[in-house]
Each structure stands twice: as structure tokens, then as C-alpha cells.
Amino acid sequence: AEHQHARYNPLRDDWVLVSAHRMKRPWQGQLEKPPPEDVPRWDRNNPLCPGATRANGEVNPQYEGTFVFPNDFPALQPDAPEPGDSDHPLFRAAAARGVCKVMCFHPWSDLTLPLMSLSEIRAVIDAWAELMAELGASYPWVQVWGWTSLLSVSPPWELGICCDGPAQLPRARTMGSTRPWGVGAAHVPIECCVLQERLVVENTDWLVVVPYWATWPYQTLLLPRRHVCRLQDLRDGERDSLASIMQRLLIKYDNLFEVSFPYSMGWHGAPTGTYLQEDCGHWQLHAHYYPPLLRSATIRKFMVGYEMLAQAQRDLTPEQAAERLRNLPEVHYKQRAK
């Protein structure tokens, strides 16, 4: 907690520098604007709202729950041509094809996921699993992620889904090759053996920990207690308890600085497509949460200089971050005020 040291990340086969003493330095960097508190519930100029017209002229239905549609500006398309051949070994290109979808978690722009009901969160989880199964029947890798923005007035929760081969995804390839999850024949996830000081929340089916090698200040890892390879393999009860622990974690995030906490999150699990017929037992389903805020609602962590050129670096220990999150109340600050 007082001296810098490096920690190894077996999931990515790299290291992170922990420099907890840097939290004592005075802050003279950039200050962010906190997110607005007066977000309208429905805005005709918001292209993701029910009944709104998107940039491509499509009109959204009057959806009342989760809403999934093809991304109007996708990073991947299914019919992209093959790149040309190169006669130089340093200038290599490969085909990149897939589909991209967007999911709005809720029709109300002013309602974030920690303030949604458990049944509404469960509907999001079911939609994730259905899309994973549907797209995974054809594509070897289905990447699910979500995010929220500090400044956006669009529906705060969106889900991005891209499908592409794991050969084009270095992080997925690294996880598949390092095989860090199996501990003996029981396939116990290594994070299930964490010290209590890195545990944030838990229930009968799930654990949330700040991993030993966490990079972002309040980064967490969400893990099932049971060995599960893919999101669509979750049992009915596990989906209910997942909705509960997601809500508890996100309430803690919001309560940390009493702000709608920004982060990116996403799921990693076993590859799909042709891999459905192979033994993928060394994979363990898990979700990452990467929040950028560091000291307050207006001070965030930036990856610059040393982090971009040498290695990732964090300004407080994972144990300190976990203790602070763990001790936060599980009633949302907005609901306490009411």
C-alpha cells in the first residue's frame, strides 16, 4: 500500500504497475463535468428513443422494454471483400467480417441500469443470452459490451455486439492460449480463491472482486461460482441472481461519488461457431467492468505517457479499491434522498 510494485495479469499475460503512494499528490489535471441530472425521459431529438427517427431514416418502434436493432454505423459488415495480397511480410491484412447490433436497455432516457427493477435487468440478461446463442451459431466470437457516458443525453445504457473470428481478437486469443481458469479437475476459477479484502459483493451464484491485477481505479470482475463456459449456459436461477448482483454492484458504483458512474463493461466466455463442437472446458464465463473515475466525479484516470509507452499503472491498490466499494451502502443515493 505504500511502495510501488508490479502485479502479473494471467488473463492478458502482462503486468500492471501499482503506485498507491501517488494518491497523495495534489491534483492539477483535467476536471470533468458531472453528468446532467435533468435528463428528459423522452426526447424527440434523441435517435434511440421510442418512436424517434434514426440517422438512416428508420423509425424506432414504441418499444417498452429492451430494444435491439442493427447498428446504423457498424464497425463490421458481413459482406466485406477480401483485402488484397501483400508481397511484404510486414504489411499483412486479413478479412474482417461480422455484424454489429445495438441494444437499448430501457425506453426511458433518464433511467440507468442500477435504478431499473430486477425483472427489467433480467430481461436484459435474457436478451444477451438469446443474441449470444443466435449469433454464436454462425460466428466463432461474439463480443458483448455495454457502456454509459458522462455527458450523453441519449439512453444512458447501450449494448454493442460485434461478431468476428477470434483470430482477429488478440485479447480473446491470449485468454484461450494461457488457459488460466482451470484449477485442478474442478475448474475452480482462480478469482474464487481471492482474499476477502478484494471481495466487493457476493450471493449464492456470483462473486464480484477487484482482481489482483486490476488496471482501472475501481475495476471489477464478475464471476459465477459454478463453472460456466458461455452466457447462454446460465440456469434460470443464475440469471435472477445475476440481475441482483449487477444491480448491487452498480448501486455501489453510483454511491461512490454520488453520480451516474461511467464505465465500459463486457463479457468474455468460450468461443462459439465451430468451437461449439470442441472441448472449451478451460474457459470460464466472466464480465469486466472498467470505470475511469479516480478521485471524484470530476477526476478521472487517463492512460497517457508511461501507460501508453511502457505498461499500465494504477494509483491505489486493488485491496484499497475493494474495501471502499465494499463499505458503500446498497441503497441508491437518489432513492435515499427520496
Side-chain angles (χ1 to χ4, degrees):
E2 294 295 329
H3 303 285
Q4 70 270 13
H5 60 281
R7 297 192 182 192
Y8 178 65
N9 181 347
L11 292 186
R12 301 196 31 198
D13 191 27
D14 62 9
W15 294 78
V16 57
L17 176 63
V18 181
S19 306
H21 58 282
R22 282 165 55 88
M23 286 293 283
K24 299 176 182 178
R25 61 178 177 157
W27 184 263
Q28 295 180 329
Q30 177 172 319
L31 297 179
E32 305 289 339
K33 293 181 180 180
E37 294 289 341
D38 56 347
V39 177
R41 180 152 293 182
W42 187 89
D43 183 356
R44 68 174 65 253
N45 297 317
N46 183 342
L48 299 182
C49 278
T53 302
R54 304 200 304 274
N56 64 352
E58 294 282 340
V59 178
N60 297 331
Q62 295 293 340
Y63 63 93
E64 298 181 352
T66 57
F67 171 48
V68 181
F69 62 92
N71 194 317
D72 297 330
F73 304 97
L76 293 169
Q77 295 177 329
D79 54 355
E82 291 279 348
D85 294 331
S86 172
D87 57 1
H88 196 291
L90 296 182
F91 304 127
R92 300 165 58 190
R97 301 187 184 94
V99 297
C100 299
K101 293 181 179 290
V102 174
M103 178 190 292
C104 297
F105 288 1
H106 197 279
W108 294 355
S109 298
D110 61 340
L111 190 66
T112 56
L113 194 135
L115 294 171
M116 289 166 55
S117 68
L118 290 179
S119 62
E120 291 169 333
I121 300 174
R122 168 63 194 266
V124 171
I125 294 168
D126 288 340
W128 281 345
E130 291 170 8
L131 285 166
M132 287 286 292
E134 173 191 343
L135 299 173
S138 303
Y139 290 94
W141 185 262
V142 182
Q143 182 59 64
V144 176
W145 77 90
W147 70 91
T148 182
S149 171
L150 274 173
L151 303 176
S152 175
V153 296
S154 63
W157 292 98
E158 302 171 19
L159 168 72
I161 301 176
C162 280
C163 303
D164 196 12
Q168 307 297 330
L169 299 169
R171 293 182 182 176
R173 187 172 64 248
T174 299
M175 285 188 298
S177 62
T178 55
R179 299 189 174 215
W181 295 106
V183 178
H187 294 289
V188 178
I190 53 179
E191 277 79 11
C192 288
C193 305
V194 298
L195 297 173
Q196 279 295 115
E197 59 193 36
R198 285 192 294 276
L199 182 67
V200 178
V201 289
E202 62 180 325
N203 61 23
T204 56
D205 299 312
W206 298 89
L207 293 164
V208 175
V209 300
V210 177
Y212 178 78
W213 54 82
T215 300
W216 294 92
Y218 294 96
Q219 175 181 336
T220 55
L221 190 62
L222 172 59
L223 289 155
R225 293 182 183 272
R226 182 174 70 92
H227 177 234
V228 183
C229 288
R230 300 178 179 90
L231 192 64
Q232 58 267 41
D233 298 333
L234 293 176
R235 299 166 180 162
D236 188 68
E238 290 170 331
R239 297 186 186 193
D240 285 337
S241 57
L242 174 57
S244 174
I245 205 163
M246 285 174 57
Q247 185 187 62
R248 292 170 62 194
L249 171 63
L250 297 179
I251 287 174
K252 284 181 176 290
Y253 272 153
D254 281 10
N255 285 344
L256 180 60
F257 300 129
E258 294 198 347
V259 68
S260 183
F261 211 73
Y263 64 81
S264 293
M265 66 82 63
W267 288 94
H268 281 154
T272 50
T274 57
Y275 292 89
L276 292 170
Q277 309 304 320
E278 298 185 9
D279 180 12
C280 293
H282 62 284
W283 285 82
Q284 172 63 50
L285 176 70
H286 59 285
H288 297 275
Y289 285 81
Y290 298 123
L293 293 184
L294 175 60
R295 300 192 187 192
S296 70
T298 61
I299 298 178
R300 62 176 295 180
K301 167 72 174 178
F302 289 94
M303 292 291 182
V304 297
Y306 181 85
E307 291 94 342
M308 297 179 69
L309 296 168
Q311 68 178 149
Q313 180 267 332
R314 60 178 293 121
D315 291 347
L316 73 166
T317 68
E319 292 77 21
Q320 291 169 333
E323 181 181 15
R324 187 166 184 186
L325 288 172
R326 184 170 56 245
N327 292 335
L328 289 167
E330 295 187 12
V331 177
H332 199 278
Y333 73 93
K334 291 184 177 179
Q335 294 173 331
R336 292 202 310 269
K338 291 180 181 180

mmCIF file with all atom_site columns, all heavy atoms in Angstrom, residues 209-224:
data_model
loop_
_atom_site.group_PDB
_atom_site.id
_atom_site.type_symbol
_atom_site.label_atom_id
_atom_site.label_alt_id
_atom_site.label_comp_id
_atom_site.label_asym_id
_atom_site.label_entity_id
_atom_site.label_seq_id
_atom_site.pdbx_PDB_ins_code
_atom_site.Cartn_x
_atom_site.Cartn_y
_atom_site.Cartn_z
_atom_site.occupancy
_atom_site.B_iso_or_equiv
_atom_site.pdbx_formal_charge
_atom_site.auth_seq_id
_atom_site.auth_comp_id
_atom_site.auth_asym_id
_atom_site.auth_atom_id
_atom_site.pdbx_PDB_model_num
ATOM 1   N N   . VAL A 1 209 ? -15.268 -9.193  -7.569  1.00 0.00 ? 209 VAL A N   1
ATOM 2   C CA  . VAL A 1 209 ? -13.998 -8.896  -6.917  1.00 0.00 ? 209 VAL A CA  1
ATOM 3   C C   . VAL A 1 209 ? -13.280 -7.794  -7.687  1.00 0.00 ? 209 VAL A C   1
ATOM 4   O O   . VAL A 1 209 ? -13.535 -7.573  -8.874  1.00 0.00 ? 209 VAL A O   1
ATOM 5   C CB  . VAL A 1 209 ? -13.093 -10.142 -6.853  1.00 0.00 ? 209 VAL A CB  1
ATOM 6   C CG1 . VAL A 1 209 ? -13.753 -11.255 -6.073  1.00 0.00 ? 209 VAL A CG1 1
ATOM 7   C CG2 . VAL A 1 209 ? -12.704 -10.617 -8.252  1.00 0.00 ? 209 VAL A CG2 1
ATOM 8   N N   . VAL A 1 210 ? -12.407 -7.095  -6.990  1.00 0.00 ? 210 VAL A N   1
ATOM 9   C CA  . VAL A 1 210 ? -11.412 -6.274  -7.667  1.00 0.00 ? 210 VAL A CA  1
ATOM 10  C C   . VAL A 1 210 ? -10.228 -7.200  -7.906  1.00 0.00 ? 210 VAL A C   1
ATOM 11  O O   . VAL A 1 210 ? -9.607  -7.660  -6.947  1.00 0.00 ? 210 VAL A O   1
ATOM 12  C CB  . VAL A 1 210 ? -10.987 -5.058  -6.813  1.00 0.00 ? 210 VAL A CB  1
ATOM 13  C CG1 . VAL A 1 210 ? -9.892  -4.266  -7.532  1.00 0.00 ? 210 VAL A CG1 1
ATOM 14  C CG2 . VAL A 1 210 ? -12.181 -4.165  -6.538  1.00 0.00 ? 210 VAL A CG2 1
ATOM 15  N N   . PRO A 1 211 ? -9.928  -7.544  -9.153  1.00 0.00 ? 211 PRO A N   1
ATOM 16  C CA  . PRO A 1 211 ? -8.873  -8.532  -9.378  1.00 0.00 ? 211 PRO A CA  1
ATOM 17  C C   . PRO A 1 211 ? -7.513  -8.039  -8.911  1.00 0.00 ? 211 PRO A C   1
ATOM 18  O O   . PRO A 1 211 ? -7.244  -6.837  -8.859  1.00 0.00 ? 211 PRO A O   1
ATOM 19  C CB  . PRO A 1 211 ? -8.902  -8.752  -10.900 1.00 0.00 ? 211 PRO A CB  1
ATOM 20  C CG  . PRO A 1 211 ? -9.604  -7.564  -11.453 1.00 0.00 ? 211 PRO A CG  1
ATOM 21  C CD  . PRO A 1 211 ? -10.549 -7.088  -10.401 1.00 0.00 ? 211 PRO A CD  1
ATOM 22  N N   . TYR A 1 212 ? -6.673  -8.986  -8.549  1.00 0.00 ? 212 TYR A N   1
ATOM 23  C CA  . TYR A 1 212 ? -5.328  -8.699  -8.059  1.00 0.00 ? 212 TYR A CA  1
ATOM 24  C C   . TYR A 1 212 ? -4.555  -7.809  -9.022  1.00 0.00 ? 212 TYR A C   1
ATOM 25  O O   . TYR A 1 212 ? -3.750  -6.987  -8.614  1.00 0.00 ? 212 TYR A O   1
ATOM 26  C CB  . TYR A 1 212 ? -4.611  -10.034 -7.858  1.00 0.00 ? 212 TYR A CB  1
ATOM 27  C CG  . TYR A 1 212 ? -3.182  -9.937  -7.397  1.00 0.00 ? 212 TYR A CG  1
ATOM 28  C CD1 . TYR A 1 212 ? -2.878  -9.662  -6.070  1.00 0.00 ? 212 TYR A CD1 1
ATOM 29  C CD2 . TYR A 1 212 ? -2.122  -10.147 -8.284  1.00 0.00 ? 212 TYR A CD2 1
ATOM 30  C CE1 . TYR A 1 212 ? -1.561  -9.579  -5.631  1.00 0.00 ? 212 TYR A CE1 1
ATOM 31  C CE2 . TYR A 1 212 ? -0.810  -10.073 -7.865  1.00 0.00 ? 212 TYR A CE2 1
ATOM 32  C CZ  . TYR A 1 212 ? -0.531  -9.794  -6.537  1.00 0.00 ? 212 TYR A CZ  1
ATOM 33  O OH  . TYR A 1 212 ? 0.775   -9.713  -6.129  1.00 0.00 ? 212 TYR A OH  1
ATOM 34  N N   . TRP A 1 213 ? -4.829  -7.964  -10.327 1.00 0.00 ? 213 TRP A N   1
ATOM 35  C CA  . TRP A 1 213 ? -4.095  -7.246  -11.366 1.00 0.00 ? 213 TRP A CA  1
ATOM 36  C C   . TRP A 1 213 ? -4.914  -6.096  -11.971 1.00 0.00 ? 213 TRP A C   1
ATOM 37  O O   . TRP A 1 213 ? -4.616  -5.632  -13.066 1.00 0.00 ? 213 TRP A O   1
ATOM 38  C CB  . TRP A 1 213 ? -3.715  -8.215  -12.480 1.00 0.00 ? 213 TRP A CB  1
ATOM 39  C CG  . TRP A 1 213 ? -4.908  -8.956  -13.007 1.00 0.00 ? 213 TRP A CG  1
ATOM 40  C CD1 . TRP A 1 213 ? -5.822  -8.514  -13.927 1.00 0.00 ? 213 TRP A CD1 1
ATOM 41  C CD2 . TRP A 1 213 ? -5.339  -10.256 -12.636 1.00 0.00 ? 213 TRP A CD2 1
ATOM 42  N NE1 . TRP A 1 213 ? -6.793  -9.443  -14.149 1.00 0.00 ? 213 TRP A NE1 1
ATOM 43  C CE2 . TRP A 1 213 ? -6.519  -10.537 -13.371 1.00 0.00 ? 213 TRP A CE2 1
ATOM 44  C CE3 . TRP A 1 213 ? -4.853  -11.219 -11.755 1.00 0.00 ? 213 TRP A CE3 1
ATOM 45  C CZ2 . TRP A 1 213 ? -7.203  -11.742 -13.247 1.00 0.00 ? 213 TRP A CZ2 1
ATOM 46  C CZ3 . TRP A 1 213 ? -5.542  -12.419 -11.641 1.00 0.00 ? 213 TRP A CZ3 1
ATOM 47  C CH2 . TRP A 1 213 ? -6.697  -12.667 -12.378 1.00 0.00 ? 213 TRP A CH2 1
ATOM 48  N N   . ALA A 1 214 ? -5.924  -5.605  -11.287 1.00 0.00 ? 214 ALA A N   1
ATOM 49  C CA  . ALA A 1 214 ? -6.792  -4.560  -11.841 1.00 0.00 ? 214 ALA A CA  1
ATOM 50  C C   . ALA A 1 214 ? -5.973  -3.363  -12.311 1.00 0.00 ? 214 ALA A C   1
ATOM 51  O O   . ALA A 1 214 ? -5.003  -2.961  -11.668 1.00 0.00 ? 214 ALA A O   1
ATOM 52  C CB  . ALA A 1 214 ? -7.806  -4.120  -10.801 1.00 0.00 ? 214 ALA A CB  1
ATOM 53  N N   . THR A 1 215 ? -6.384  -2.784  -13.435 1.00 0.00 ? 215 THR A N   1
ATOM 54  C CA  . THR A 1 215 ? -5.689  -1.635  -14.015 1.00 0.00 ? 215 THR A CA  1
ATOM 55  C C   . THR A 1 215 ? -6.415  -0.327  -13.715 1.00 0.00 ? 215 THR A C   1
ATOM 56  O O   . THR A 1 215 ? -5.826  0.634   -13.250 1.00 0.00 ? 215 THR A O   1
ATOM 57  C CB  . THR A 1 215 ? -5.542  -1.809  -15.539 1.00 0.00 ? 215 THR A CB  1
ATOM 58  O OG1 . THR A 1 215 ? -4.785  -2.997  -15.798 1.00 0.00 ? 215 THR A OG1 1
ATOM 59  C CG2 . THR A 1 215 ? -4.851  -0.615  -16.163 1.00 0.00 ? 215 THR A CG2 1
ATOM 60  N N   . TRP A 1 216 ? -7.726  -0.287  -13.994 1.00 0.00 ? 216 TRP A N   1
ATOM 61  C CA  . TRP A 1 216 ? -8.504  0.924   -13.748 1.00 0.00 ? 216 TRP A CA  1
ATOM 62  C C   . TRP A 1 216 ? -8.804  1.048   -12.259 1.00 0.00 ? 216 TRP A C   1
ATOM 63  O O   . TRP A 1 216 ? -8.867  0.039   -11.542 1.00 0.00 ? 216 TRP A O   1
ATOM 64  C CB  . TRP A 1 216 ? -9.780  0.920   -14.580 1.00 0.00 ? 216 TRP A CB  1
ATOM 65  C CG  . TRP A 1 216 ? -9.471  1.015   -16.040 1.00 0.00 ? 216 TRP A CG  1
ATOM 66  C CD1 . TRP A 1 216 ? -9.304  -0.020  -16.905 1.00 0.00 ? 216 TRP A CD1 1
ATOM 67  C CD2 . TRP A 1 216 ? -9.235  2.213   -16.791 1.00 0.00 ? 216 TRP A CD2 1
ATOM 68  N NE1 . TRP A 1 216 ? -8.981  0.459   -18.156 1.00 0.00 ? 216 TRP A NE1 1
ATOM 69  C CE2 . TRP A 1 216 ? -8.931  1.828   -18.110 1.00 0.00 ? 216 TRP A CE2 1
ATOM 70  C CE3 . TRP A 1 216 ? -9.251  3.567   -16.468 1.00 0.00 ? 216 TRP A CE3 1
ATOM 71  C CZ2 . TRP A 1 216 ? -8.655  2.750   -19.113 1.00 0.00 ? 216 TRP A CZ2 1
ATOM 72  C CZ3 . TRP A 1 216 ? -8.981  4.493   -17.466 1.00 0.00 ? 216 TRP A CZ3 1
ATOM 73  C CH2 . TRP A 1 216 ? -8.693  4.077   -18.770 1.00 0.00 ? 216 TRP A CH2 1
ATOM 74  N N   . PRO A 1 217 ? -9.009  2.280   -11.765 1.00 0.00 ? 217 PRO A N   1
ATOM 75  C CA  . PRO A 1 217 ? -9.083  2.507   -10.316 1.00 0.00 ? 217 PRO A CA  1
ATOM 76  C C   . PRO A 1 217 ? -10.075 1.599   -9.586  1.00 0.00 ? 217 PRO A C   1
ATOM 77  O O   . PRO A 1 217 ? -9.738  1.021   -8.558  1.00 0.00 ? 217 PRO A O   1
ATOM 78  C CB  . PRO A 1 217 ? -9.483  3.982   -10.213 1.00 0.00 ? 217 PRO A CB  1
ATOM 79  C CG  . PRO A 1 217 ? -8.962  4.607   -11.469 1.00 0.00 ? 217 PRO A CG  1
ATOM 80  C CD  . PRO A 1 217 ? -9.098  3.559   -12.525 1.00 0.00 ? 217 PRO A CD  1
ATOM 81  N N   . TYR A 1 218 ? -11.306 1.505   -10.093 1.00 0.00 ? 218 TYR A N   1
ATOM 82  C CA  . TYR A 1 218 ? -12.328 0.698   -9.437  1.00 0.00 ? 218 TYR A CA  1
ATOM 83  C C   . TYR A 1 218 ? -12.823 -0.420  -10.354 1.00 0.00 ? 218 TYR A C   1
ATOM 84  O O   . TYR A 1 218 ? -13.994 -0.783  -10.356 1.00 0.00 ? 218 TYR A O   1
ATOM 85  C CB  . TYR A 1 218 ? -13.469 1.603   -8.954  1.00 0.00 ? 218 TYR A CB  1
ATOM 86  C CG  . TYR A 1 218 ? -13.015 2.544   -7.869  1.00 0.00 ? 218 TYR A CG  1
ATOM 87  C CD1 . TYR A 1 218 ? -12.626 3.850   -8.169  1.00 0.00 ? 218 TYR A CD1 1
ATOM 88  C CD2 . TYR A 1 218 ? -12.923 2.120   -6.551  1.00 0.00 ? 218 TYR A CD2 1
ATOM 89  C CE1 . TYR A 1 218 ? -12.173 4.710   -7.177  1.00 0.00 ? 218 TYR A CE1 1
ATOM 90  C CE2 . TYR A 1 218 ? -12.477 2.970   -5.552  1.00 0.00 ? 218 TYR A CE2 1
ATOM 91  C CZ  . TYR A 1 218 ? -12.100 4.256   -5.874  1.00 0.00 ? 218 TYR A CZ  1
ATOM 92  O OH  . TYR A 1 218 ? -11.641 5.093   -4.887  1.00 0.00 ? 218 TYR A OH  1
ATOM 93  N N   . GLN A 1 219 ? -11.918 -0.962  -11.097 1.00 0.00 ? 219 GLN A N   1
ATOM 94  C CA  . GLN A 1 219 ? -12.206 -2.090  -11.986 1.00 0.00 ? 219 GLN A CA  1
ATOM 95  C C   . GLN A 1 219 ? -12.667 -3.301  -11.173 1.00 0.00 ? 219 GLN A C   1
ATOM 96  O O   . GLN A 1 219 ? -12.146 -3.573  -10.092 1.00 0.00 ? 219 GLN A O   1
ATOM 97  C CB  . GLN A 1 219 ? -10.942 -2.443  -12.761 1.00 0.00 ? 219 GLN A CB  1
ATOM 98  C CG  . GLN A 1 219 ? -11.047 -3.676  -13.654 1.00 0.00 ? 219 GLN A CG  1
ATOM 99  C CD  . GLN A 1 219 ? -9.726  -3.954  -14.365 1.00 0.00 ? 219 GLN A CD  1
ATOM 100 O OE1 . GLN A 1 219 ? -8.902  -3.054  -14.550 1.00 0.00 ? 219 GLN A OE1 1
ATOM 101 N NE2 . GLN A 1 219 ? -9.510  -5.192  -14.758 1.00 0.00 ? 219 GLN A NE2 1
ATOM 102 N N   . THR A 1 220 ? -13.654 -4.020  -11.680 1.00 0.00 ? 220 THR A N   1
ATOM 103 C CA  . THR A 1 220 ? -14.121 -5.228  -11.014 1.00 0.00 ? 220 THR A CA  1
ATOM 104 C C   . THR A 1 220 ? -14.294 -6.357  -12.013 1.00 0.00 ? 220 THR A C   1
ATOM 105 O O   . THR A 1 220 ? -14.354 -6.151  -13.229 1.00 0.00 ? 220 THR A O   1
ATOM 106 C CB  . THR A 1 220 ? -15.461 -5.000  -10.275 1.00 0.00 ? 220 THR A CB  1
ATOM 107 O OG1 . THR A 1 220 ? -16.429 -4.481  -11.201 1.00 0.00 ? 220 THR A OG1 1
ATOM 108 C CG2 . THR A 1 220 ? -15.293 -4.065  -9.100  1.00 0.00 ? 220 THR A CG2 1
ATOM 109 N N   . LEU A 1 221 ? -14.375 -7.555  -11.463 1.00 0.00 ? 221 LEU A N   1
ATOM 110 C CA  . LEU A 1 221 ? -14.550 -8.769  -12.247 1.00 0.00 ? 221 LEU A CA  1
ATOM 111 C C   . LEU A 1 221 ? -15.741 -9.513  -11.673 1.00 0.00 ? 221 LEU A C   1
ATOM 112 O O   . LEU A 1 221 ? -15.801 -9.768  -10.460 1.00 0.00 ? 221 LEU A O   1
ATOM 113 C CB  . LEU A 1 221 ? -13.280 -9.618  -12.160 1.00 0.00 ? 221 LEU A CB  1
ATOM 114 C CG  . LEU A 1 221 ? -13.136 -10.821 -13.072 1.00 0.00 ? 221 LEU A CG  1
ATOM 115 C CD1 . LEU A 1 221 ? -13.140 -10.398 -14.540 1.00 0.00 ? 221 LEU A CD1 1
ATOM 116 C CD2 . LEU A 1 221 ? -11.839 -11.557 -12.757 1.00 0.00 ? 221 LEU A CD2 1
ATOM 117 N N   . LEU A 1 222 ? -16.707 -9.850  -12.517 1.00 0.00 ? 222 LEU A N   1
ATOM 118 C CA  . LEU A 1 222 ? -17.926 -10.548 -12.112 1.00 0.00 ? 222 LEU A CA  1
ATOM 119 C C   . LEU A 1 222 ? -17.815 -12.000 -12.553 1.00 0.00 ? 222 LEU A C   1
ATOM 120 O O   . LEU A 1 222 ? -17.624 -12.278 -13.739 1.00 0.00 ? 222 LEU A O   1
ATOM 121 C CB  . LEU A 1 222 ? -19.141 -9.868  -12.755 1.00 0.00 ? 222 LEU A CB  1
ATOM 122 C CG  . LEU A 1 222 ? -20.505 -10.541 -12.618 1.00 0.00 ? 222 LEU A CG  1
ATOM 123 C CD1 . LEU A 1 222 ? -20.891 -10.723 -11.161 1.00 0.00 ? 222 LEU A CD1 1
ATOM 124 C CD2 . LEU A 1 222 ? -21.562 -9.733  -13.360 1.00 0.00 ? 222 LEU A CD2 1
ATOM 125 N N   . LEU A 1 223 ? -17.933 -12.922 -11.600 1.00 0.00 ? 223 LEU A N   1
ATOM 126 C CA  . LEU A 1 223 ? -17.685 -14.343 -11.857 1.00 0.00 ? 223 LEU A CA  1
ATOM 127 C C   . LEU A 1 223 ? -18.805 -15.214 -11.311 1.00 0.00 ? 223 LEU A C   1
ATOM 128 O O   . LEU A 1 223 ? -19.291 -14.985 -10.200 1.00 0.00 ? 223 LEU A O   1
ATOM 129 C CB  . LEU A 1 223 ? -16.399 -14.789 -11.170 1.00 0.00 ? 223 LEU A CB  1
ATOM 130 C CG  . LEU A 1 223 ? -15.083 -14.299 -11.733 1.00 0.00 ? 223 LEU A CG  1
ATOM 131 C CD1 . LEU A 1 223 ? -14.027 -14.298 -10.641 1.00 0.00 ? 223 LEU A CD1 1
ATOM 132 C CD2 . LEU A 1 223 ? -14.656 -15.181 -12.885 1.00 0.00 ? 223 LEU A CD2 1
ATOM 133 N N   . PRO A 1 224 ? -19.221 -16.253 -12.064 1.00 0.00 ? 224 PRO A N   1
ATOM 134 C CA  . PRO A 1 224 ? -20.136 -17.239 -11.493 1.00 0.00 ? 224 PRO A CA  1
ATOM 135 C C   . PRO A 1 224 ? -19.377 -18.196 -10.573 1.00 0.00 ? 224 PRO A C   1
ATOM 136 O O   . PRO A 1 224 ? -18.208 -18.507 -10.814 1.00 0.00 ? 224 PRO A O   1
ATOM 137 C CB  . PRO A 1 224 ? -20.677 -17.971 -12.728 1.00 0.00 ? 224 PRO A CB  1
ATOM 138 C CG  . PRO A 1 224 ? -19.590 -17.839 -13.747 1.00 0.00 ? 224 PRO A CG  1
ATOM 139 C CD  . PRO A 1 224 ? -18.905 -16.525 -13.474 1.00 0.00 ? 224 PRO A CD  1
#
